[in-house]
Amino acid sequence: MLHSLKRFGSGARAVVNVITSTLPIAIIGGLLYAGFFVKAEAVINKVEPKAVERRDNFFSVVAPSEQVAWAAGTGGKIVRTDDGGRTWHRQNTATYENLQGIAAWDAQHAVAAGNHGVILFTADGGNSWKAAQVPKSDNPNKLFRVHIFDGVAWAVGEFGSLLRSDDKGATWTRAMEEKDRAWNDICFRGQNGWLVGEFGTVMRTTDGGATWTENELENKVSLMGVEFRDDQNGVAVGLTGTLMVTSDGGATWRDVPPLTREHLLDIAWDENRWVAVGDKGVMVTSDATASEWKLGRISEGDVSWRTQITRAGNHYYVSGANLGVLEGGKLTIVGR
């Protein structure tokens, strides 16, 4: 450079002096321009909430296959797993009502029901949930459970709500007049069906639900769940550890001496045994005869209240205070 300056003489040196003296002014001017006219774009990294959070309660879970399951709960939340409960993703429902029950025909068709009579259905695996057409009512009609028997969906709830759907949950009709009584669960085996509800009420049908007759029971404790392993042998469970057994299709029921004072909220027939679950993690089991019952726990150390237990292959899903996967005696709480 020095050789170049010497080569061009004093004129070149003058040009260099001018350039170096004007550099600070140019830099300041550039900064001022950027400050006034160049707008910075803020980069916001959106944090998506977990599909299952600690605050969530899940009231119902259904498993149409060993790998696929749905769970429904508070705030209109529905989550689904496609890998046997290892991972879950949330599905949009467009409702904030608590969803109390969920049932499925297969991995594509399912229905959920809950508070204020809301019923949702899907025909695409839950990618979209739509509001079903339901009968009008002047009552709140909270729906507690929804089940599917022989392709027909049934929903039960407050004020004598008994609804049925024959088109995979899209439209519903009232199968019984409303009355000031809550139905908590329903079960069908062929044309024989049973309803259980508050104050120890049991109703029975032998014609697929066209007509119902009431059983008079001495035990007036509210019944929360009912299940039959065939058209003759069934079990009902209820508050304060209530267990009732029938072997004549529900014509008569006998009380099982209570093993616990905790509420029993669900009863399931698990291939070769009966399983009931309820408050504080209790689990009551019996063999097929339903004659000898044993008190235990879903998992040691777990005291969560449970509303449902569902088997899917070699593992179980449990709903209630949280959503859990039970396998080999080990309970894994989803989202923990």
Side-chain angles (χ1 to χ4, degrees), residues 46-64:
K46 186 177 180 181
V47 179
E48 294 291 338
K50 294 181 179 180
V52 178
E53 301 176 273
R54 284 180 173 269
R55 63 184 178 181
D56 293 332
N57 300 143
F58 288 93
F59 304 117
S60 184
V61 60
V62 62

Side-chain angles (χ1 to χ4, degrees), residues 45-287:
N45 294 321
K46 186 177 180 181
V47 179
E48 294 291 338
K50 294 181 179 180
V52 178
E53 301 176 273
R54 284 180 173 269
R55 63 184 178 181
D56 293 332
N57 300 143
F58 288 93
F59 304 117
S60 184
V61 60
V62 62
S65 72
E66 188 170 348
Q67 295 299 310
V68 176
W70 278 285
T74 49
K77 178 170 281 192
I78 294 179
V79 295
R80 172 173 165 139
T81 179
D82 294 284
D83 55 12
R86 287 185 291 275
T87 61
W88 298 77
H89 60 274
R90 184 173 183 175
Q91 299 184 325
N92 294 325
T93 62
T95 182
Y96 292 100
E97 297 290 349
N98 290 349
L99 297 173
Q100 308 281 348
I102 191 166
W105 287 265
D106 50 48
Q108 296 299 310
H109 300 85
V111 59
N115 293 8
H116 290 94
V118 64
I119 299 181
L120 308 174
F121 72 98
T122 181
D124 56 11
N127 291 322
S128 62
W129 287 87
K130 301 177 181 178
Q133 295 182 19
V134 298
K136 293 183 179 180
S137 175
D138 295 327
N139 298 313
N141 281 346
K142 177 189 293 186
L143 298 172
F144 297 130
R145 296 282 179 95
V146 58
H147 292 295
I148 297 168
F149 305 102
D150 297 328
V152 179
W154 295 84
V156 296
E158 292 180 333
F159 292 96
S161 291
L162 177 61
L163 309 177
R164 69 174 286 167
S165 172
D166 297 274
D167 57 3
K168 287 187 166 57
T171 59
W172 295 74
T173 57
R174 197 174 300 283
M176 185 182 294
E177 292 185 2
E178 293 181 294
K179 61 174 60 178
D180 190 11
R181 174 187 292 171
W183 298 120
N184 294 322
D185 202 10
I186 188 171
C187 179
F188 270 91
R189 288 290 177 264
Q191 293 294 298
N192 296 312
W194 303 267
L195 272 170
V196 297
E198 59 183 348
F199 310 126
T201 305
V202 177
M203 297 197 78
R204 180 188 180 196
T205 181
T206 57
D207 54 15
T211 59
W212 295 83
T213 57
E214 184 172 343
N215 287 49
E216 291 291 338
L217 303 180
E218 293 184 6
N219 192 338
K220 300 302 180 182
V221 175
S222 292
L223 300 173
M224 307 303 294
V226 62
E227 178 71 296
F228 276 69
R229 64 180 175 89
D230 52 40
D231 59 2
Q232 294 297 311
N233 298 280
V235 176
V237 298
L239 303 185
T240 62
T242 297
L243 275 164
M244 301 180 66
V245 176
T246 181
S247 56
D248 57 8
T252 60
W253 296 79
R254 64 182 184 276
D255 289 314
V256 175
L259 300 175
T260 177
R261 295 293 296 174
E262 303 298 338
H263 301 325
L264 297 177
L265 305 176
D266 185 45
I267 178 70
W269 169 245
D270 182 26
E271 292 188 348
N272 58 7
R273 66 169 185 164
W274 296 97
V275 181
V277 296
D279 281 349
K280 297 183 180 178
V282 300
M283 180 170 69
V284 180
T285 59
S286 177
D287 62 6

